[in-house]
Amino acid sequence: GTVTGAGVGVYQYGDTATLTAIPGEESTFLMWSDGNTENPRNIVVEDNIYLGVIFELNQYEVTVVAQDSIIGVVEGSGMYYYGTEVIIEAVANEGYHFVKWSDGNTENPRNITVTEDITLTAEFAINQYEVVVESDGNGSVTGSGTYNHGTEVTIEAVANEGYHFGK
């Protein structure tokens, strides 16, 4: 931040000097070095005075949520100071996988630099598996396909005439 109204100015005894502390985008005015919290501040000049200003970094909330807690969990939510690097992570439950964050980013885990309040949702999808059922040519089979994790699949083998199912 900066201070206006101060400087190398020379004031007469009894003059009023107006000081204004202007925080940068990443901070908030907290107090003057003598503990005074007025801003702007008027000082009646009675002697030489040296004042500093104390700014505090802004804190922002990072909120990470799972699209559905049944299929995954997330880590990294909290209050963080401006400029802090935070690692957020989405962990899929069994049978699911991480797809992307709600802003389209696919990094996981992911580093973010805190500059404002942010909410990100982790999106997950169910795992799919390919089931291939093949015949040696002496019969027909059914049941091949792509199935979601946990799906019960029925496969069937039907032998041609003169053949039977077996090793």
Side-chain angles (χ1 to χ4, degrees), residues 84-103:
T84 301
E85 275 205 22
V86 177
I87 298 173
I88 60 173
E89 185 171 14
V91 180
N93 291 338
E94 182 180 348
Y96 296 88
H97 62 276
F98 171 78
V99 176
K100 66 180 179 175
W101 296 100
S102 54
D103 65 356

Side-chain angles (χ1 to χ4, degrees), residues 60-65 75-89 101-103 105-121:
Y60 295 100
E61 185 170 14
V62 173
T63 305
V64 288
V65 294
E75 299 172 354
S77 289
M79 294 297 293
Y80 298 95
Y81 286 108
Y82 179 94
T84 301
E85 275 205 22
V86 177
I87 298 173
I88 60 173
E89 185 171 14
W101 296 100
S102 54
D103 65 356
N105 188 299
T106 58
E107 294 176 47
N108 187 42
R110 175 181 175 187
N111 290 336
I112 60 171
T113 301
V114 178
T115 58
E116 62 187 350
D117 290 336
I118 186 169
T119 298
L120 293 169
T121 301

Side-chain angles (χ1 to χ4, degrees), residues 24-46:
E25 73 173 87
E26 73 282 351
S27 62
T28 302
F29 168 79
L30 191 59
M31 71 179 81
W32 299 97
S33 57
D34 64 356
N36 186 297
T37 59
E38 294 174 24
N39 188 37
R41 179 178 180 184
N42 293 317
I43 297 176
V44 176
V45 176
E46 295 175 343

Side-chain angles (χ1 to χ4, degrees), residues 7 13 20 26 36 39 59 64 71 115 128 131 136-137 149 163:
Y13 182 89
T20 304
E26 73 282 351
N36 186 297
N39 188 37
Q59 285 192 353
V64 288
I71 59 179
T115 58
Q128 292 189 323
V131 174
D136 64 2
H149 176 86
Y163 291 88

